[in-house]
Amino acid sequence: MKEVVVISGKGGTGKTSLAASFASLACASAGLVLADCDVDAPDLHLLLHPEVRETQEFRASRKASIDAAACTGCGLCQAHCRFDAIRELQVDPLSCEGCGVCERICPAGAVTVKEELLGRWYVSDTRCGPMVHACMEPGEENSGRLVSVVRRRARELAQERRADLIITDGPPGIGCPVISALSGADLAVVVTEPSLSGAHDLARVLDVSRHFGVPAVACTNRYDLHPEGAEAIEAECGARGVPVVGRIPYDPVMTEAIVRGKPVVEFTDAEVTGAIRKVWERILVYLCSGAEPSLLKRDG
Amino acid sequence: MGAGGISGPRISVPRTPGPGLRTWAHATFGYRSSLGSPWQAGRSYGVVALRKGMTIAVASGKGGTGKTTVATNLALAIAAQHPVQFLDCDVEEPNAHLFLKPRIERTLAVEIPVPSVDRERCTYCGTCADVCAQHAVGVFPGQVLIFAELCHGCGACALFCPEGAITEVGRPVGVVEAGRADQLAFAHGRLNVGEAFAPPVVRAVKKEARDHGIVIIDVAPGTSCPVVEALKGVDFCLLVTEPTPFGLHDLKLMVGVVEKLGIPAALVINRADMGDAGVWTFCRQKRIPVLMEIPQNRRIAESYARGIPLVRTDGEWAGRFAVLFRRIRALVEGPGSRNGLRGSGCERSSGDQR
């Protein structure tokens, strides 16, 4: 079983559109499980229309609360909170990290730290295979842990169903949700765009994948908006030994496909579809170098 | 930020919390800026006239909708008329410097305090491991393991160690770089590669905030802790989206965040001539004002790709962003702001406006 995660550093480069397209291309020849690990702002379900089979609550965030009746107003909790989460003996739940210092230091036993609902995660069916996805409550923390839960469930499902492949739609950035989505995966597909921001963020996210020992390949979306930029990005990838698996042209049909709620490869036969198909074939080559050539049956 | 913090005194438990208590936290990653706490954000209800400045955050939920484009152009468009400071709080992927090209004058290391165990004094009682909510400490017979990358720096282990065997040392997690870009004061943060925990770096950037003039904050995508950290205490949040089902879905999540924080918000719709009508319908239902629309066109996309701000490409855009700023100021400071969009519910509030 192989796990490929689509990330980008910069947001809005086309991760989800490509992940859904890869899913559509892959499911014809391989047993597939999908995971949407962008739990802050998940969008894959808008293209794959999962039917939810199982809903789970995710409770991990811990928040302090002060029992005003028991509180003597000594202020120790406030003095020891490193996160400025207690002011005038009121807990600000958005600043509270749930570390529990206040609970332990309170001489009156007035502070308790309770688990709170942080988000929900779902196991669903799509026509491309089962999908695990999640959604955070707005403004919550610990999204990295929710990502870990989603990935673990996706791996279990893949084992149960003897699936060959997990395709993960990852979050933007380089912080905890990205690290959770990336670590231990077989291949990172970095989707970038030929802007200065895209190039800058690509370099950072490639550093992260190297840091965690995950091999990466890159592809440039909307390359023709700034061809010199695309070349610079490919040169940067070359210098780092990161294979470039293709270029995808700019085409407003990508947006139309989103509006219609379909992976772009199912929506059109335009040039972009051919380009995405090629990208996926080359991803499979890197993913399967030396192992499980069955994945390549149809495409290679 | 402090070297002083690193060698600072071990925290003892004071019987009464004196005002002079300076813990590691306040020296190193404390957040005592003029921005105040979220619960004070409502101060513009009554004390508008007393305020010396205004803090505007630019956020989106979905990535790549044009946050940095809007934030940088807004800053440049008003920099000649107002003292403006730009804070890039997307510390995972900071991009504003690519457009503003600041001259960096100061670099500050951002550290969080992590435990260091004095093996002479340690009795391996396991208290530190018990009190650690992040499971960053493991105690075995004759051995204490510290997983520093999991540590959030709450200080519980040092505080509750019965032997006084734990001191705290600074562990670098990122940097803040500050300087100027022509008329703009500028600062941004960079989370170190491989670090998971962005909020301390966001807090450190926000500590640079001035207490006067206009402060513009570029926020990371998403809706979780780094976003909340950047939004805490701001006067206004400008949401940027694109009119697609993805943009709409993530906009709804982001509206949930600003409602929870009680921050007044309005919208800029980027690439406004593509996609579908869902975003406008949602804004009408929620009564969220749409302050600006930016069309999808190749010239804009190309100048973005090359790192050229829109306001530098033609004067029309400078004018439009100046108008955007006037609209924001009217929402924040105008008579509408008292019952305006503030609080849990853009919907309720604008209802009052009518």
Side-chain angles (χ1 to χ4, degrees):
Chain A
M1 189 239 300
K2 296 279 183 184
E3 194 176 3
V4 49
V5 50
V6 184
I7 51 174
S8 68
K10 177 169 160 42
T13 59
K15 278 184 300 298
T16 303
S17 290
L18 289 186
S21 294
F22 296 159
S24 174
L25 295 171
C27 67
S29 62
L32 183 64
V33 172
L34 295 154
D36 189 347
C37 285
D38 187 358
V39 300
D40 272 34
D43 287 329
L44 190 60
H45 64 283
L46 297 171
L47 299 182
L48 296 179
H49 310 286
E51 278 180 48
V52 175
R53 301 287 179 219
E54 184 188 329
T55 303
Q56 302 279 353
E57 290 192 338
F58 181 62
R59 293 177 181 274
S61 186
R62 298 174 353 125
K63 304 282 180 200
S65 66
I66 299 176
D67 175 1
C71 175
T72 62
C74 73
L76 276 176
C77 52
Q78 193 165 326
H80 286 284
C81 178
R82 292 266 175 101
F83 306 101
D84 271 0
I86 304 178
R87 285 177 186 233
E88 281 145 28
L89 306 176
Q90 297 281 318
V91 178
D92 165 8
L94 287 162
S95 296
C96 179
E97 292 264 341
C99 68
V101 166
C102 48
E103 184 181 32
R104 285 171 199 278
I105 204 134
C106 177
V111 187
T112 45
V113 178
K114 294 180 201 136
E115 284 210 330
E116 290 209 341
L117 182 68
L118 193 138
R120 288 184 175 78
W121 58 275
Y122 312 92
V123 179
S124 305
D125 282 331
T126 73
R127 67 203 143 67
C128 299
M131 167 165 157
V132 188
H133 49 126
C135 197
M136 300 269 291
E137 290 290 298
E140 279 302 340
E141 59 200 37
N142 269 324
S143 54
R145 285 193 200 169
L146 184 51
V147 169
S148 306
V149 170
V150 168
R151 269 187 77 197
R152 196 183 323 133
R153 189 73 187 105
R155 284 178 167 183
E156 285 167 9
L157 272 176
Q159 265 158 10
E160 282 165 25
R161 311 214 179 174
R162 299 179 193 286
D164 310 290
L165 185 64
I166 300 172
I167 295 178
T168 301
D169 188 11
I174 63 164
C176 68
V178 177
I179 292 171
S180 288
L182 189 65
S183 55
D186 295 287
L187 187 71
V189 176
V190 184
V191 182
T192 187
E193 61 172 36
S195 61
L196 283 183
S197 310
H200 173 268
D201 297 353
L202 170 78
R204 302 253 293 164
V205 82
L206 287 177
D207 286 344
V208 172
S209 73
R210 189 167 53 196
H211 184 93
F212 290 95
V214 177
V217 298
C219 72
T220 315
N221 195 8
R222 309 191 270 261
Y223 79 91
D224 48 345
L225 282 182
H226 187 202
E228 308 96 273
E231 274 160 32
I233 282 172
E234 288 170 7
E236 167 78 16
C237 290
R240 290 165 171 266
V242 170
V244 176
V245 289
R247 292 175 159 191
I248 297 160
Y250 171 71
D251 189 335
V253 78
M254 293 269 267
T255 309
E256 263 175 69
I258 295 173
V259 170
R260 301 291 178 83
K262 283 188 170 174
V264 65
V265 295
E266 292 177 15
F267 182 68
T268 176
D269 286 326
E271 193 191 345
V272 281
T273 292
I276 294 172
R277 194 180 287 275
K278 259 190 209 149
V279 166
W280 178 242
E281 285 166 9
R282 292 168 86 176
I283 288 170
L284 282 178
V285 171
Y286 286 102
L287 193 60
C288 301
S289 50
E292 296 178 65
S294 67
L295 281 180
L296 286 164
K297 256 185 304 200
R298 183 168 158 271
D299 299 291
Chain B
M1 161 133 4
I6 298 174
S7 55
R10 188 182 154 272
I11 301 155
S12 58
V13 182
R15 291 298 107 200
T16 52
L21 180 76
R22 298 283 298 175
T23 61
W24 229 112
H26 299 139
T28 303
F29 68 166
Y31 170 62
R32 294 259 191 244
S33 79
S34 59
L35 294 161
S37 79
W39 311 120
Q40 292 170 340
R43 63 195 164 154
S44 65
Y45 277 118
V47 291
V48 169
L50 300 177
R51 279 150 34 102
K52 286 185 275 180
M54 175 163 58
T55 307
I56 302 167
V58 183
S60 75
K62 174 166 161 46
T65 57
K67 276 181 304 300
T68 302
T69 300
V70 170
T72 52
N73 282 292
L74 180 63
L76 291 168
I78 61 173
Q81 292 82 39
H82 302 273
V84 180
Q85 183 184 33
F86 193 99
L87 301 178
D88 189 348
C89 285
D90 182 358
V91 304
E92 294 180 42
E93 299 288 17
N95 287 150
H97 68 282
L98 300 170
F99 298 88
L100 299 176
K101 303 182 174 59
R103 205 175 56 250
I104 299 300
E105 292 156 357
R106 287 178 297 130
T107 301
L108 308 165
V110 181
E111 298 180 332
I112 64 168
V114 300
S116 163
V117 180
D118 177 352
R119 315 273 151 165
E120 302 281 293
R121 297 169 100 170
C122 179
T123 60
Y124 307 99
C125 69
T127 304
C128 49
D130 292 342
V131 300
C132 181
Q134 300 297 334
H135 308 294
V137 188
V139 179
F140 306 94
Q143 202 179 13
V144 181
L145 292 178
I146 308 282
F147 305 100
E149 67 283 4
L150 297 178
C151 176
H152 283 197
C154 73
C157 51
L159 185 60
F160 296 112
C161 174
E163 309 300 329
I166 298 180
T167 47
E168 293 179 280
V169 293
R171 189 175 79 87
V173 293
V175 294
V176 172
E177 296 174 320
R180 292 199 70 80
D182 299 329
Q183 294 144 309
L184 293 175
F186 177 91
H188 67 183
R190 305 177 76 89
L191 182 68
N192 288 350
V193 164
E195 290 296 336
F197 190 49
V201 185
V202 177
R203 276 193 284 266
V205 178
K206 287 181 78 174
K207 276 175 84 175
E208 296 288 315
R210 302 191 298 209
D211 63 355
H212 62 281
I214 310 299
V215 178
I216 294 177
I217 293 183
D218 195 359
V219 182
T223 58
S224 64
C225 37
V227 174
V228 172
E229 199 61 56
L231 287 176
K232 275 182 200 164
V234 305
D235 297 304
F236 185 85
C237 181
L238 190 60
L239 300 169
V240 184
T241 194
E242 57 183 36
T244 64
F246 287 2
L248 174 60
H249 179 262
D250 300 348
L251 172 67
K252 287 177 179 169
L253 297 174
M254 201 58 218
V255 166
V257 173
V258 295
E259 285 181 351
K260 202 166 169 181
L261 287 162
I263 298 169
L267 194 67
V268 170
I269 301 179
N270 192 11
R271 307 183 192 115
D273 42 359
M274 67 173 202
D276 59 6
V279 165
W280 282 273
T281 308
F282 174 73
C283 288
R284 266 198 307 280
Q285 283 165 356
K286 295 287 271 181
R287 300 183 188 281
I288 300 171
V290 177
L291 301 187
M292 183 184 206
E293 293 180 10
I294 302 171
Q296 160 86 326
N297 84 41
R298 211 180 165 99
R299 209 162 48 96
I300 294 175
E302 283 172 358
S303 74
Y304 173 81
R306 293 177 158 77
I308 303 164
L310 264 182
V311 297
R312 298 263 159 82
T313 60
D314 70 53
E316 186 205 332
W317 281 107
R320 292 188 62 185
F321 277 97
V323 170
L324 173 64
F325 175 71
R326 283 203 292 279
R327 287 179 175 163
I328 293 169
R329 196 160 67 173
L331 286 173
V332 176
E333 294 180 350
S337 70
R338 296 194 175 213
N339 53 5
L341 323 149
R342 178 168 296 284
S344 56
C346 309
E347 72 278 59
R348 168 165 48 87
S349 47
S350 316
D352 297 346
Q353 268 181 326
R354 311 198 133 216

